[in-house]
């Protein structure tokens, strides 16, 4: 039920997204976590390029910081090297299940936290490795109810 935005139209989207970031600040949020910031790797309906995505994601990070908010990177794992300097943390859903956790290490190397949620794997299948990688990881139900088993 999600619909993609044409992030190439940044001049059109900028006032809308700045308004959303400003609203988060007004509501006393500490940070924002935009989702689905990897449209160039999906069938978005738009001919998005990696460069389009970088420009949009960096715009979002700068907008958050200009409002005194932290910002997390969720998705766009392929551009982490370029984006890690602009974002304050990374959030990954199922990096151990998909065997892509090593791609998150640039955040740890910059002294920034990485949060991992696993749905399919049991804690004994990923917690030891998550702790060794200095990730903050937990198992949750896909329904995102109150159930959780943290690794630390």
């Amino acid at each position: 039920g999600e619909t993609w935005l044409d992030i190439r139209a940044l001049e059109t989207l900028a006032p809308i997204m700045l308004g959303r970031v400003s609203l988060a600040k007004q509501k006393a949020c500490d940070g924002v976590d935009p989702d689905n910031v990897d449209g160039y790797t999906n069938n978005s309906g738009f001919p998005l390029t990696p460069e389009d995505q970088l420009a949009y994601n960096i715009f979002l990070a700068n907008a958050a910081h200009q409002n005194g908010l932290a910002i997390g990177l969720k998705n766009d794992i392929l551009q982490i090297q370029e984006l890690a300097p602009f974002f304050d943390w990374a959030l990954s859903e199922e990096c151990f299940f998909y065997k892509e956790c090593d791609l998150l290490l640039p955040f740890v190397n910059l002294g920034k936290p990485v949060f991992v949620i696993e749905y399919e794997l049991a804690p004994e299948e990923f917690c030891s490795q998550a702790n060794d990688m200095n990730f903050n990881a937990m198992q949750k139900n896909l329904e995102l109810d109150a159930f959780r088993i943290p690794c630390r």
Side-chain angles (χ1 to χ4, degrees):
E2 297 173 324
T3 303
W4 292 94
L5 297 174
D6 186 353
I7 59 169
R8 298 171 302 160
L10 192 51
E11 63 286 344
T12 302
L13 292 177
I16 297 166
M17 299 314 291
L18 288 170
R20 287 181 159 199
V21 170
S22 178
L23 181 61
K25 178 69 174 177
Q26 291 170 25
K27 291 181 177 255
C29 294
D30 294 320
V32 292
D33 175 28
D35 198 358
N36 296 332
V37 291
D38 59 349
Y40 74 104
T41 66
N42 288 278
N43 184 13
S44 68
F46 304 106
L48 304 177
T49 66
E51 294 75 23
D52 296 327
Q53 196 68 63
L54 276 175
Y56 182 72
N57 293 354
I58 291 169
F59 161 78
L60 289 175
N62 289 336
H65 292 144
Q66 289 166 1
N67 279 275
L69 298 171
I71 185 167
L73 181 65
K74 181 179 176 188
N75 306 325
D76 205 1
I77 201 161
L78 298 178
Q79 294 184 325
I80 280 184
Q81 272 305 12
E82 296 90 347
L83 292 172
F86 295 94
F87 285 77
D88 302 301
W89 77 86
L91 173 61
S92 173
E93 291 179 299
E94 300 190 286
C95 74
F96 288 102
F97 181 79
Y98 290 110
K99 300 181 183 354
E100 59 191 18
C101 290
D102 288 345
L103 295 173
L104 298 161
L105 289 174
F107 274 88
V108 174
N109 294 339
L110 290 171
K112 298 178 179 185
V114 172
F115 302 99
V116 175
I117 302 167
E118 292 291 334
Y119 304 111
E120 300 295 326
L121 300 177
E124 57 272 10
E125 297 178 84
F126 67 90
C127 280
S128 177
Q129 188 177 1
N131 291 341
D132 288 346
M133 296 174 86
N134 201 25
F135 290 176
N136 298 290
M138 70 172 60
Q139 180 192 32
K140 288 210 42 86
N141 290 329
L142 191 55
E143 297 79 27
L144 298 176
D145 56 14
F147 170 82
R148 69 174 186 192
I149 300 175
C151 292
R152 295 184 188 181

